[in-house]
Amino acid sequence: MTTTTITNFRKNVYAMVENTVRFNEPINITTKDGNAMLISEEEYLGLIETLHLASVPGMKEKLIDGLNTPLSDTVPEEEVEW
């Protein structure tokens, strides 16, 4: 994570935003009144999706079960009716 002052951010806004977008590198922007974070849209949407999944009752256990299920115990995709 990069940390910069608001003054430096203003001077280099284009390059800093491009780095955040390209490399998902968050930027901590410091000001005398507090700090702000710049994250890419991809990172933001991932965080929102994670929060949503974490709020669904029983979802954590289902995800853990899925991760612990051997591939040989799953149904091939071509046999699943969507």
Side-chain angles (χ1 to χ4, degrees):
M1 173 174 40
T2 300
T3 298
T4 188
T5 64
I6 189 69
T7 302
N8 190 48
F9 180 75
R10 257 189 257 125
K11 289 178 186 176
N12 300 297
V13 66
Y14 182 79
M16 290 185 156
V17 170
E18 284 297 304
N19 275 346
T20 297
V21 170
R22 283 192 187 144
F23 306 113
N24 282 329
E25 177 69 24
I27 299 177
N28 180 16
I29 305 164
T30 62
T31 74
K32 60 184 169 189
D33 295 324
N35 299 341
M37 294 297 298
L38 175 69
I39 60 173
S40 69
E41 179 183 33
E42 180 182 358
E43 188 73 17
Y44 171 77
L45 293 173
L47 288 170
I48 295 300
E49 183 66 18
T50 299
L51 289 173
H52 169 72
L53 291 174
S55 72
V56 175
M59 183 59 74
K60 179 181 173 184
E61 292 76 16
K62 287 180 184 180
L63 291 171
I64 291 170
D65 286 346
L67 287 171
N68 293 327
T69 301
L71 206 49
S72 60
D73 291 351
T74 63
V75 177
E77 185 177 355
E78 56 273 2
E79 293 180 24
V80 176
E81 288 189 34
W82 297 98

